[in-house]
Each structure stands twice: as structure tokens, then as C-alpha cells.
Amino acid sequence: MELTFLAAEFLGKPTWLWLAFIGVVGLILAFDLGVLHRKAHEIELRESILLSLFYIGLGLSYGGFVWWYLGPVSGMQYLTGYAVEKSLSMDNVFVIGVILAYFGIPRAYQHRILFWGILGVIVLRGIMIGLGAGLVAQFHWILYLFAAFLIFTGIKMLMSAGGDDHYDVESNAVLKFMRKRFHVTDRVDKDRFWLRLPHPKTGRLTWYATPLFLALVCVELADVIFAVDSIPAIFTITTDPFIVFTSNIFAILGLRAMFFMLSALVHRFEYLKYALSAVLVFIGSKIFIADLMGWEKFPPPVSLGVTFGLLAAGFLFSLWKTRTAPAPLQAPIPVPLAVEVTPAERIG
């Protein structure tokens, strides 16, 4: 009975394959939180680079497994999707930096926000991918809408690549709602999301959301916004839900390490957006090119080669162009008010 359940197909793949993937992700997250970051500490550049390489290695290794088990076509689709999602997540990283700076989160406590933020992102992406897969299965023409949207997004990104893309945290409607409807405080007690503090009017102990929790909510909302670009991008590469989900999740898993690395090296990737905009236009154009050429689908080897070629060119050109550029002086992150509370007044 158990073997029959494990062998049964779920969204086109054996159930055991989905469970194995979820198990691998769970072990990675447990290792990250329970071993690598058991104690809150400030992640330096060297550690963030090593962690980024570790997660990239995991993502590519899983791509090798997909290539071996599901075949070269699936393997190339996974690698293409992984490269695109990894590159698109860089914009997400920059916005996360703005959010953490806005709330004045000390660097030693930023990892906890990112860790729980990634867990939420995995759930949200899973829901969005499931909905997207259902729509594509029922209405194949929606892929053309996805493709047109990607072309539009790529052109828009290209036109604004040299401009100011400042993310305005203050105008976030959900943040305004929380500040109006919930008790919030500017005080920080280590990496706590909630504190019990005396109410200014009644003196009774009341739960207050700390800046860490508000930042976590904003990070989740920012990912929902960015998923509007990334989900259509991966579905124009492949409609296989397993490839879509696994490439997305492995690209997201290394987001925390990438954040700490890019926060120190952001000035070295000034021209990467030009390459990324070209990738979005190319990915969006594939379905139209395939129709014009009379192909059943765009050749995966060509798609993989062009995607990696454009991204590699963008990285190398950025590194060469900024080789003599000094690192910009960063304004100090404002430190929130400290508060001494008893253990009974803490939660989160």
C-alpha cells in the first residue's frame, strides 16, 4: 500500500520524488539554522561568499540529478530556470537591503528575518506555482500572455537600468495597516519578533510587534511582488511543475547568503541589469520564435546557451567596468532603541 502511494504520480512525477525533494530542502534548512547559524552573529563577506558558493553548488548538483534521472531536456530546462530565477532574485536582494536598513535591523539579527522569510517564500511560491500550473494546463494560451509580459518587463528594465529604483518602504499599505491596527514598538530585544511591554495608558503587559517582525512582513510582500516576474519567466521555459518548483526553490535557498555578499559588492554589479533585461526579452520571445519557425518548442540547448551567455557577459562586463571603482561609503544603519525585558516578557 505504501509503495503504491509513493509510486503514484503527483503533478506528473512520482510522489516519492516530491517527498524526497521536500526532505532535502528540510535538511538543508535544518543544517543552516541548527549548525551554521545556531547563534546570532554578523555574517562577514568571506562567510557570505562561501555560503553562496555552497548553495550554488547544491543547486547545480541537483540539476545534475535532474539531468541524470529525468533526461537531458529536463536537465537543461532546470538549469535555465535556475539561472534565470537566481538572477532575478538579485533585485529582490537589493529591496531586502532597503527594508532592513529602513527598520534599522542590526546585522547580527538580519539572518533570522531572512531565514523565516525564506520559509514563507517557499510556501508562497509553491502556492503560486500550483495556481500557475493549473492555469497553463487549462488555458495554454496564457503562456503567450506570460511571454508578452516578460518582453514588456525586460524593455522596461532596460529603459530604467540607469535610473533610481528606490523602494519606498514607508508607503507600504500593509505596513501602514499594521501600525494603525496593532501595537508596534521601535524597541529591539536581540532577535525577538514580539515583546510584552507595559501599555502606556493601562500599564498592563501587552504584545508589541518589533521592527524585526515588521521587516519580515515587508520581505514577504516584496517577494510576492517579484514573483510576478519570476513565475511567468519559469513557465515560459518549461510547464513541468516539478522543474518549475525545484529550480525556483533552489534559487531562493541561497538568497540569505547572497544578500550579505551583495550588500558588500553591490557596486561591482552595476551593469548586470542590462544583461538581465536582455534575458527576459529572450525568454519571452522564445514561444513566438518557435511558432514562426514551426517548431514544437524552442530548442532547450539553445535556450540554455543563450541564457548563460547573456548572464555571463553581464557579470564579466560589470566586473571589468567597475574594476577600479571604490566601494561606496554606506550610511550607518540606525540602531533601534534597546530595551531590557525579563525572560517572561519575551516571545518570538
Side-chain angles (χ1 to χ4, degrees), residues 115-163:
F115 178 86
W116 290 107
I118 294 304
L119 284 180
V121 166
I122 290 175
V123 174
L124 290 173
R125 289 291 178 97
I127 294 172
M128 296 179 74
I129 288 171
L131 292 174
L135 287 173
V136 170
Q138 293 294 321
F139 311 103
H140 183 74
W141 52 265
I142 204 170
L143 287 176
Y144 292 91
L145 293 182
F146 286 169
F149 176 74
L150 288 180
I151 295 173
F152 169 77
T153 302
I155 294 174
K156 183 180 178 182
M157 182 184 294
L158 181 63
M159 296 176 65
S160 64

mmCIF file of all heavy atoms in Angstrom, residues 115-163:
data_model
loop_
_atom_site.group_PDB
_atom_site.id
_atom_site.type_symbol
_atom_site.label_atom_id
_atom_site.label_comp_id
_atom_site.label_asym_id
_atom_site.label_seq_id
_atom_site.Cartn_x
_atom_site.Cartn_y
_atom_site.Cartn_z
ATOM 1 N N PHE A 115 15.889 33.995 7.249
ATOM 2 C CA PHE A 115 15.598 32.564 7.333
ATOM 3 C C PHE A 115 14.093 32.320 7.328
ATOM 4 O O PHE A 115 13.579 31.534 6.525
ATOM 5 C CB PHE A 115 16.221 31.965 8.598
ATOM 6 C CG PHE A 115 15.925 30.499 8.766
ATOM 7 C CD1 PHE A 115 16.727 29.552 8.160
ATOM 8 C CD2 PHE A 115 14.835 30.067 9.518
ATOM 9 C CE1 PHE A 115 16.453 28.189 8.298
ATOM 10 C CE2 PHE A 115 14.553 28.715 9.661
ATOM 11 C CZ PHE A 115 15.372 27.779 9.052
ATOM 12 N N TRP A 116 13.365 32.995 8.232
ATOM 13 C CA TRP A 116 11.917 32.791 8.286
ATOM 14 C C TRP A 116 11.246 33.388 7.065
ATOM 15 O O TRP A 116 10.195 32.897 6.617
ATOM 16 C CB TRP A 116 11.348 33.388 9.573
ATOM 17 C CG TRP A 116 11.761 32.604 10.775
ATOM 18 C CD1 TRP A 116 12.668 32.960 11.726
ATOM 19 C CD2 TRP A 116 11.309 31.299 11.146
ATOM 20 N NE1 TRP A 116 12.813 31.964 12.663
ATOM 21 C CE2 TRP A 116 11.987 30.933 12.329
ATOM 22 C CE3 TRP A 116 10.397 30.399 10.590
ATOM 23 C CZ2 TRP A 116 11.780 29.719 12.965
ATOM 24 C CZ3 TRP A 116 10.190 29.184 11.223
ATOM 25 C CH2 TRP A 116 10.874 28.854 12.403
ATOM 26 N N GLY A 117 11.851 34.421 6.507
ATOM 27 C CA GLY A 117 11.327 34.973 5.266
ATOM 28 C C GLY A 117 11.408 33.972 4.129
ATOM 29 O O GLY A 117 10.476 33.843 3.328
ATOM 30 N N ILE A 118 12.515 33.228 4.073
ATOM 31 C CA ILE A 118 12.682 32.224 3.021
ATOM 32 C C ILE A 118 11.656 31.104 3.186
ATOM 33 O O ILE A 118 11.100 30.609 2.202
ATOM 34 C CB ILE A 118 14.111 31.645 3.054
ATOM 35 C CG1 ILE A 118 15.122 32.723 2.694
ATOM 36 C CG2 ILE A 118 14.235 30.467 2.093
ATOM 37 C CD1 ILE A 118 14.879 33.402 1.367
ATOM 38 N N LEU A 119 11.380 30.706 4.427
ATOM 39 C CA LEU A 119 10.363 29.677 4.646
ATOM 40 C C LEU A 119 9.008 30.137 4.114
ATOM 41 O O LEU A 119 8.284 29.375 3.457
ATOM 42 C CB LEU A 119 10.247 29.350 6.138
ATOM 43 C CG LEU A 119 11.340 28.477 6.747
ATOM 44 C CD1 LEU A 119 11.059 28.246 8.224
ATOM 45 C CD2 LEU A 119 11.431 27.135 6.032
ATOM 46 N N GLY A 120 8.665 31.378 4.404
ATOM 47 C CA GLY A 120 7.407 31.913 3.890
ATOM 48 C C GLY A 120 7.398 31.993 2.377
ATOM 49 O O GLY A 120 6.383 31.695 1.735
ATOM 50 N N VAL A 121 8.542 32.368 1.813
ATOM 51 C CA VAL A 121 8.656 32.473 0.356
ATOM 52 C C VAL A 121 8.444 31.104 -0.295
ATOM 53 O O VAL A 121 7.778 30.994 -1.331
ATOM 54 C CB VAL A 121 10.036 33.049 -0.038
ATOM 55 C CG1 VAL A 121 10.301 32.856 -1.524
ATOM 56 C CG2 VAL A 121 10.101 34.529 0.309
ATOM 57 N N ILE A 122 9.010 30.053 0.296
ATOM 58 C CA ILE A 122 8.856 28.707 -0.254
ATOM 59 C C ILE A 122 7.379 28.324 -0.315
ATOM 60 O O ILE A 122 6.893 27.786 -1.320
ATOM 61 C CB ILE A 122 9.654 27.690 0.589
ATOM 62 C CG1 ILE A 122 11.163 27.907 0.375
ATOM 63 C CG2 ILE A 122 9.271 26.259 0.221
ATOM 64 C CD1 ILE A 122 12.038 27.040 1.262
ATOM 65 N N VAL A 123 6.651 28.621 0.768
ATOM 66 C CA VAL A 123 5.219 28.299 0.792
ATOM 67 C C VAL A 123 4.464 29.124 -0.244
ATOM 68 O O VAL A 123 3.651 28.596 -1.020
ATOM 69 C CB VAL A 123 4.641 28.540 2.198
ATOM 70 C CG1 VAL A 123 3.127 28.342 2.199
ATOM 71 C CG2 VAL A 123 5.291 27.597 3.214
ATOM 72 N N LEU A 124 4.742 30.428 -0.287
ATOM 73 C CA LEU A 124 4.049 31.303 -1.229
ATOM 74 C C LEU A 124 4.348 30.931 -2.675
ATOM 75 O O LEU A 124 3.447 30.896 -3.528
ATOM 76 C CB LEU A 124 4.443 32.761 -0.976
ATOM 77 C CG LEU A 124 3.907 33.383 0.320
ATOM 78 C CD1 LEU A 124 4.512 34.764 0.540
ATOM 79 C CD2 LEU A 124 2.390 33.481 0.281
ATOM 80 N N ARG A 125 5.629 30.645 -2.968
ATOM 81 C CA ARG A 125 5.987 30.248 -4.324
ATOM 82 C C ARG A 125 5.318 28.939 -4.702
ATOM 83 O O ARG A 125 4.886 28.755 -5.844
ATOM 84 C CB ARG A 125 7.520 30.115 -4.457
ATOM 85 C CG ARG A 125 8.272 31.430 -4.419
ATOM 86 C CD ARG A 125 8.001 32.263 -5.654
ATOM 87 N NE ARG A 125 8.701 33.539 -5.584
ATOM 88 C CZ ARG A 125 9.866 33.787 -6.149
ATOM 89 N NH1 ARG A 125 10.481 32.830 -6.836
ATOM 90 N NH2 ARG A 125 10.433 34.980 -6.050
ATOM 91 N N GLY A 126 5.238 27.999 -3.739
ATOM 92 C CA GLY A 126 4.572 26.733 -4.027
ATOM 93 C C GLY A 126 3.117 26.942 -4.402
ATOM 94 O O GLY A 126 2.610 26.328 -5.355
ATOM 95 N N ILE A 127 2.429 27.816 -3.659
ATOM 96 C CA ILE A 127 1.024 28.102 -3.964
ATOM 97 C C ILE A 127 0.889 28.763 -5.327
ATOM 98 O O ILE A 127 0.050 28.379 -6.158
ATOM 99 C CB ILE A 127 0.418 29.004 -2.873
ATOM 100 C CG1 ILE A 127 0.368 28.254 -1.542
ATOM 101 C CG2 ILE A 127 -0.975 29.480 -3.275
ATOM 102 C CD1 ILE A 127 -0.042 29.119 -0.367
ATOM 103 N N MET A 128 1.740 29.751 -5.614
ATOM 104 C CA MET A 128 1.662 30.482 -6.877
ATOM 105 C C MET A 128 2.009 29.586 -8.067
ATOM 106 O O MET A 128 1.389 29.669 -9.130
ATOM 107 C CB MET A 128 2.587 31.700 -6.834
ATOM 108 C CG MET A 128 2.182 32.728 -5.795
ATOM 109 S SD MET A 128 3.280 34.162 -5.713
ATOM 110 C CE MET A 128 2.799 35.024 -7.213
ATOM 111 N N ILE A 129 2.998 28.712 -7.884
ATOM 112 C CA ILE A 129 3.368 27.792 -8.963
ATOM 113 C C ILE A 129 2.242 26.795 -9.210
ATOM 114 O O ILE A 129 1.937 26.449 -10.357
ATOM 115 C CB ILE A 129 4.688 27.077 -8.616
ATOM 116 C CG1 ILE A 129 5.853 28.075 -8.718
ATOM 117 C CG2 ILE A 129 4.932 25.890 -9.546
ATOM 118 C CD1 ILE A 129 7.168 27.544 -8.187
ATOM 119 N N GLY A 130 1.616 26.309 -8.122
ATOM 120 C CA GLY A 130 0.487 25.399 -8.287
ATOM 121 C C GLY A 130 -0.656 26.042 -9.055
ATOM 122 O O GLY A 130 -1.244 25.428 -9.954
ATOM 123 N N LEU A 131 -0.973 27.299 -8.707
ATOM 124 C CA LEU A 131 -2.016 28.018 -9.427
ATOM 125 C C LEU A 131 -1.622 28.242 -10.884
ATOM 126 O O LEU A 131 -2.443 28.081 -11.800
ATOM 127 C CB LEU A 131 -2.289 29.360 -8.743
ATOM 128 C CG LEU A 131 -2.933 29.299 -7.351
ATOM 129 C CD1 LEU A 131 -3.014 30.690 -6.741
ATOM 130 C CD2 LEU A 131 -4.324 28.680 -7.433
ATOM 131 N N GLY A 132 -0.352 28.603 -11.087
ATOM 132 C CA GLY A 132 0.127 28.831 -12.457
ATOM 133 C C GLY A 132 0.069 27.569 -13.295
ATOM 134 O O GLY A 132 -0.338 27.608 -14.465
ATOM 135 N N ALA A 133 0.453 26.431 -12.696
ATOM 136 C CA ALA A 133 0.413 25.161 -13.426
ATOM 137 C C ALA A 133 -1.010 24.796 -13.805
ATOM 138 O O ALA A 133 -1.275 24.301 -14.907
ATOM 139 C CB ALA A 133 1.043 24.059 -12.571
ATOM 140 N N GLY A 134 -1.951 25.055 -12.883
ATOM 141 C CA GLY A 134 -3.347 24.770 -13.185
ATOM 142 C C GLY A 134 -3.880 25.638 -14.314
ATOM 143 O O GLY A 134 -4.591 25.155 -15.202
ATOM 144 N N LEU A 135 -3.510 26.925 -14.317
ATOM 145 C CA LEU A 135 -3.945 27.834 -15.375
ATOM 146 C C LEU A 135 -3.375 27.433 -16.729
ATOM 147 O O LEU A 135 -4.081 27.416 -17.747
ATOM 148 C CB LEU A 135 -3.528 29.270 -15.036
ATOM 149 C CG LEU A 135 -4.310 29.957 -13.910
ATOM 150 C CD1 LEU A 135 -3.681 31.302 -13.581
ATOM 151 C CD2 LEU A 135 -5.777 30.134 -14.318
ATOM 152 N N VAL A 136 -2.068 27.098 -16.745
ATOM 153 C CA VAL A 136 -1.422 26.718 -18.003
ATOM 154 C C VAL A 136 -2.020 25.427 -18.547
ATOM 155 O O VAL A 136 -2.206 25.271 -19.762
ATOM 156 C CB VAL A 136 0.099 26.578 -17.801
ATOM 157 C CG1 VAL A 136 0.754 25.947 -19.026
ATOM 158 C CG2 VAL A 136 0.725 27.931 -17.507
ATOM 159 N N ALA A 137 -2.335 24.467 -17.644
ATOM 160 C CA ALA A 137 -2.924 23.199 -18.091
ATOM 161 C C ALA A 137 -4.309 23.402 -18.707
ATOM 162 O O ALA A 137 -4.678 22.718 -19.668
ATOM 163 C CB ALA A 137 -3.006 22.223 -16.914
ATOM 164 N N GLN A 138 -5.067 24.348 -18.162
ATOM 165 C CA GLN A 138 -6.421 24.591 -18.653
ATOM 166 C C GLN A 138 -6.458 25.569 -19.824
ATOM 167 O O GLN A 138 -7.265 25.436 -20.739
ATOM 168 C CB GLN A 138 -7.296 25.130 -17.513
ATOM 169 C CG GLN A 138 -7.562 24.140 -16.403
ATOM 170 C CD GLN A 138 -8.405 22.957 -16.868
ATOM 171 O OE1 GLN A 138 -9.339 23.109 -17.656
ATOM 172 N NE2 GLN A 138 -8.058 21.768 -16.383
ATOM 173 N N PHE A 139 -5.567 26.556 -19.783
ATOM 174 C CA PHE A 139 -5.567 27.608 -20.809
ATOM 175 C C PHE A 139 -4.138 27.792 -21.330
ATOM 176 O O PHE A 139 -3.384 28.622 -20.813
ATOM 177 C CB PHE A 139 -6.081 28.924 -20.224
ATOM 178 C CG PHE A 139 -7.367 28.795 -19.459
ATOM 179 C CD1 PHE A 139 -7.367 28.791 -18.065
ATOM 180 C CD2 PHE A 139 -8.579 28.650 -20.123
ATOM 181 C CE1 PHE A 139 -8.540 28.677 -17.356
ATOM 182 C CE2 PHE A 139 -9.771 28.528 -19.418
ATOM 183 C CZ PHE A 139 -9.745 28.527 -18.026
ATOM 184 N N HIS A 140 -3.773 27.024 -22.351
ATOM 185 C CA HIS A 140 -2.407 27.065 -22.858
ATOM 186 C C HIS A 140 -2.041 28.447 -23.398
ATOM 187 O O HIS A 140 -0.879 28.856 -23.344
ATOM 188 C CB HIS A 140 -2.230 26.009 -23.960
ATOM 189 C CG HIS A 140 -0.826 25.947 -24.487
ATOM 190 N ND1 HIS A 140 0.202 25.379 -23.777
ATOM 191 C CD2 HIS A 140 -0.276 26.405 -25.661
ATOM 192 C CE1 HIS A 140 1.313 25.464 -24.475
ATOM 193 N NE2 HIS A 140 1.058 26.089 -25.609
ATOM 194 N N TRP A 141 -3.043 29.175 -23.887
ATOM 195 C CA TRP A 141 -2.782 30.488 -24.463
ATOM 196 C C TRP A 141 -2.234 31.483 -23.450
ATOM 197 O O TRP A 141 -1.673 32.522 -23.812
ATOM 198 C CB TRP A 141 -4.053 31.069 -25.096
ATOM 199 C CG TRP A 141 -5.242 31.084 -24.183
ATOM 200 C CD1 TRP A 141 -6.228 30.152 -24.101
ATOM 201 C CD2 TRP A 141 -5.565 32.085 -23.206
ATOM 202 N NE1 TRP A 141 -7.149 30.503 -23.142
ATOM 203 C CE2 TRP A 141 -6.774 31.691 -22.584
ATOM 204 C CE3 TRP A 141 -4.959 33.274 -22.811
ATOM 205 C CZ2 TRP A 141 -7.367 32.438 -21.577
ATOM 206 C CZ3 TRP A 141 -5.559 34.028 -21.799
ATOM 207 C CH2 TRP A 141 -6.746 33.608 -21.201
ATOM 208 N N ILE A 142 -2.379 31.165 -22.159
ATOM 209 C CA ILE A 142 -1.885 32.096 -21.145
ATOM 210 C C ILE A 142 -0.361 32.224 -21.196
ATOM 211 O O ILE A 142 0.206 33.221 -20.738
ATOM 212 C CB ILE A 142 -2.355 31.658 -19.736
ATOM 213 C CG1 ILE A 142 -2.378 32.869 -18.787
ATOM 214 C CG2 ILE A 142 -1.456 30.559 -19.165
ATOM 215 C CD1 ILE A 142 -3.053 32.579 -17.469
ATOM 216 N N LEU A 143 0.306 31.204 -21.788
ATOM 217 C CA LEU A 143 1.757 31.290 -21.944
ATOM 218 C C LEU A 143 2.140 32.479 -22.831
ATOM 219 O O LEU A 143 3.197 33.094 -22.634
ATOM 220 C CB LEU A 143 2.303 29.991 -22.551
ATOM 221 C CG LEU A 143 2.323 28.765 -21.630
ATOM 222 C CD1 LEU A 143 2.790 27.540 -22.402
ATOM 223 C CD2 LEU A 143 3.233 29.015 -20.432
ATOM 224 N N TYR A 144 1.303 32.797 -23.806
ATOM 225 C CA TYR A 144 1.585 33.944 -24.674
ATOM 226 C C TYR A 144 1.472 35.253 -23.888
ATOM 227 O O TYR A 144 2.231 36.201 -24.132
ATOM 228 C CB TYR A 144 0.634 33.938 -25.873
ATOM 229 C CG TYR A 144 0.878 32.789 -26.827
ATOM 230 C CD1 TYR A 144 0.201 31.575 -26.685
ATOM 231 C CD2 TYR A 144 1.812 32.906 -27.853
ATOM 232 C CE1 TYR A 144 0.432 30.520 -27.549
ATOM 233 C CE2 TYR A 144 2.042 31.850 -28.731
ATOM 234 C CZ TYR A 144 1.356 30.664 -28.567
ATOM 235 O OH TYR A 144 1.602 29.617 -29.429
ATOM 236 N N LEU A 145 0.537 35.300 -22.942
ATOM 237 C CA LEU A 145 0.437 36.480 -22.082
ATOM 238 C C LEU A 145 1.673 36.600 -21.192
ATOM 239 O O LEU A 145 2.213 37.701 -21.004
ATOM 240 C CB LEU A 145 -0.826 36.400 -21.217
ATOM 241 C CG LEU A 145 -2.167 36.497 -21.933
ATOM 242 C CD1 LEU A 145 -3.309 36.442 -20.921
ATOM 243 C CD2 LEU A 145 -2.252 37.785 -22.740
ATOM 244 N N PHE A 146 2.112 35.457 -20.626
ATOM 245 C CA PHE A 146 3.331 35.453 -19.825
ATOM 246 C C PHE A 146 4.514 35.964 -20.647
ATOM 247 O O PHE A 146 5.316 36.794 -20.183
ATOM 248 C CB PHE A 146 3.640 34.044 -19.311
ATOM 249 C CG PHE A 146 2.746 33.574 -18.196
ATOM 250 C CD1 PHE A 146 2.755 32.251 -17.798
ATOM 251 C CD2 PHE A 146 1.897 34.453 -17.540
ATOM 252 C CE1 PHE A 146 1.936 31.809 -16.770
ATOM 253 C CE2 PHE A 146 1.067 34.028 -16.514
ATOM 254 C CZ PHE A 146 1.093 32.706 -16.127
ATOM 255 N N ALA A 147 4.622 35.463 -21.881
ATOM 256 C CA ALA A 147 5.739 35.830 -22.742
ATOM 257 C C ALA A 147 5.715 37.324 -23.071
ATOM 258 O O ALA A 147 6.756 38.004 -23.009
ATOM 259 C CB ALA A 147 5.699 35.005 -24.028
ATOM 260 N N ALA A 148 4.540 37.829 -23.416
ATOM 261 C CA ALA A 148 4.423 39.258 -23.737
ATOM 262 C C ALA A 148 4.756 40.114 -22.514
ATOM 263 O O ALA A 148 5.413 41.159 -22.634
ATOM 264 C CB ALA A 148 3.014 39.567 -24.237
ATOM 265 N N PHE A 149 4.331 39.658 -21.344
ATOM 266 C CA PHE A 149 4.623 40.393 -20.109
ATOM 267 C C PHE A 149 6.129 40.427 -19.843
ATOM 268 O O PHE A 149 6.669 41.459 -19.409
ATOM 269 C CB PHE A 149 3.888 39.742 -18.944
ATOM 270 C CG PHE A 149 4.202 40.360 -17.603
ATOM 271 C CD1 PHE A 149 3.684 41.594 -17.267
ATOM 272 C CD2 PHE A 149 5.018 39.702 -16.701
ATOM 273 C CE1 PHE A 149 3.980 42.181 -16.046
ATOM 274 C CE2 PHE A 149 5.311 40.270 -15.472
ATOM 275 C CZ PHE A 149 4.793 41.513 -15.140
ATOM 276 N N LEU A 150 6.821 39.314 -20.099
ATOM 277 C CA LEU A 150 8.264 39.274 -19.887
ATOM 278 C C LEU A 150 8.988 40.223 -20.839
ATOM 279 O O LEU A 150 9.946 40.904 -20.451
ATOM 280 C CB LEU A 150 8.789 37.849 -20.077
ATOM 281 C CG LEU A 150 8.450 36.839 -18.985
ATOM 282 C CD1 LEU A 150 9.042 35.483 -19.322
ATOM 283 C CD2 LEU A 150 8.953 37.312 -17.634
ATOM 284 N N ILE A 151 8.558 40.257 -22.092
ATOM 285 C CA ILE A 151 9.169 41.171 -23.051
ATOM 286 C C ILE A 151 8.978 42.620 -22.597
ATOM 287 O O ILE A 151 9.921 43.427 -22.614
ATOM 288 C CB ILE A 151 8.578 40.961 -24.462
ATOM 289 C CG1 ILE A 151 8.937 39.559 -24.971
ATOM 290 C CG2 ILE A 151 9.085 42.029 -25.429
ATOM 291 C CD1 ILE A 151 8.256 39.189 -26.275
ATOM 292 N N PHE A 152 7.767 42.935 -22.168
ATOM 293 C CA PHE A 152 7.478 44.282 -21.670
ATOM 294 C C PHE A 152 8.340 44.602 -20.447
ATOM 295 O O PHE A 152 8.918 45.699 -20.330
ATOM 296 C CB PHE A 152 5.992 44.396 -21.315
ATOM 297 C CG PHE A 152 5.637 45.642 -20.558
ATOM 298 C CD1 PHE A 152 5.524 46.856 -21.215
ATOM 299 C CD2 PHE A 152 5.425 45.598 -19.180
ATOM 300 C CE1 PHE A 152 5.204 48.009 -20.516
ATOM 301 C CE2 PHE A 152 5.103 46.745 -18.478
ATOM 302 C CZ PHE A 152 4.993 47.955 -19.156
ATOM 303 N N THR A 153 8.447 43.628 -19.518
ATOM 304 C CA THR A 153 9.238 43.835 -18.307
ATOM 305 C C THR A 153 10.711 44.031 -18.637
ATOM 306 O O THR A 153 11.382 44.888 -18.054
ATOM 307 C CB THR A 153 9.075 42.634 -17.355
ATOM 308 O OG1 THR A 153 7.695 42.461 -17.044
ATOM 309 C CG2 THR A 153 9.862 42.845 -16.075
ATOM 310 N N GLY A 154 11.228 43.227 -19.589
ATOM 311 C CA GLY A 154 12.622 43.357 -19.975
ATOM 312 C C GLY A 154 12.923 44.711 -20.578
ATOM 313 O O GLY A 154 13.954 45.329 -20.277
ATOM 314 N N ILE A 155 12.034 45.189 -21.450
ATOM 315 C CA ILE A 155 12.230 46.503 -22.071
ATOM 316 C C ILE A 155 12.148 47.606 -21.020
ATOM 317 O O ILE A 155 12.954 48.557 -21.019
ATOM 318 C CB ILE A 155 11.183 46.723 -23.187
ATOM 319 C CG1 ILE A 155 11.421 45.727 -24.330
ATOM 320 C CG2 ILE A 155 11.244 48.151 -23.707
ATOM 321 C CD1 ILE A 155 10.354 45.766 -25.401
ATOM 322 N N LYS A 156 11.188 47.486 -20.123
ATOM 323 C CA LYS A 156 11.042 48.475 -19.052
ATOM 324 C C LYS A 156 12.276 48.494 -18.159
ATOM 325 O O LYS A 156 12.764 49.565 -17.761
ATOM 326 C CB LYS A 156 9.791 48.151 -18.225
ATOM 327 C CG LYS A 156 9.508 49.157 -17.115
ATOM 328 C CD LYS A 156 8.260 48.767 -16.340
ATOM 329 C CE LYS A 156 8.013 49.755 -15.197
ATOM 330 N NZ LYS A 156 6.819 49.353 -14.384
ATOM 331 N N MET A 157 12.809 47.313 -17.835
ATOM 332 C CA MET A 157 14.014 47.229 -17.019
ATOM 333 C C MET A 157 15.201 47.853 -17.727
ATOM 334 O O MET A 157 16.022 48.556 -17.124
ATOM 335 C CB MET A 157 14.321 45.761 -16.668
ATOM 336 C CG MET A 157 15.543 45.578 -15.776
ATOM 337 S SD MET A 157 15.939 43.839 -15.481
ATOM 338 C CE MET A 157 14.509 43.333 -14.528
ATOM 339 N N LEU A 158 15.299 47.628 -19.040
ATOM 340 C CA LEU A 158 16.396 48.193 -19.821
ATOM 341 C C LEU A 158 16.338 49.715 -19.824
ATOM 342 O O LEU A 158 17.357 50.392 -19.685
ATOM 343 C CB LEU A 158 16.337 47.667 -21.253
ATOM 344 C CG LEU A 158 17.436 48.151 -22.210
ATOM 345 C CD1 LEU A 158 18.798 47.691 -21.725
ATOM 346 C CD2 LEU A 158 17.165 47.643 -23.614
ATOM 347 N N MET A 159 15.149 50.266 -19.965
ATOM 348 C CA MET A 159 14.984 51.723 -20.019
ATOM 349 C C MET A 159 15.244 52.378 -18.669
ATOM 350 O O MET A 159 15.643 53.548 -18.607
ATOM 351 C CB MET A 159 13.582 52.067 -20.503
ATOM 352 C CG MET A 159 13.297 51.621 -21.928
ATOM 353 S SD MET A 159 11.591 51.942 -22.448
ATOM 354 C CE MET A 159 11.563 53.737 -22.408
ATOM 355 N N SER A 160 15.035 51.629 -17.574
ATOM 356 C CA SER A 160 15.225 52.209 -16.242
ATOM 357 C C SER A 160 16.500 51.723 -15.570
ATOM 358 O O SER A 160 16.710 51.992 -14.384
ATOM 359 C CB SER A 160 14.026 51.863 -15.354
ATOM 360 O OG SER A 160 13.934 50.460 -15.154
ATOM 361 N N ALA A 161 17.349 51.009 -16.340
ATOM 362 C CA ALA A 161 18.543 50.412 -15.729
ATOM 363 C C ALA A 161 19.476 51.446 -15.137
ATOM 364 O O ALA A 161 20.164 51.193 -14.156
ATOM 365 C CB ALA A 161 19.293 49.564 -16.758
ATOM 366 N N GLY A 162 19.524 52.599 -15.727
ATOM 367 C CA GLY A 162 20.428 53.623 -15.195
ATOM 368 C C GLY A 162 19.758 54.590 -14.248
ATOM 369 O O GLY A 162 20.386 55.536 -13.773
ATOM 370 N N GLY A 163 18.470 54.376 -13.966
ATOM 371 C CA GLY A 163 17.729 55.312 -13.128
ATOM 372 C C GLY A 163 17.716 54.909 -11.670
ATOM 373 O O GLY A 163 18.426 54.013 -11.232
#
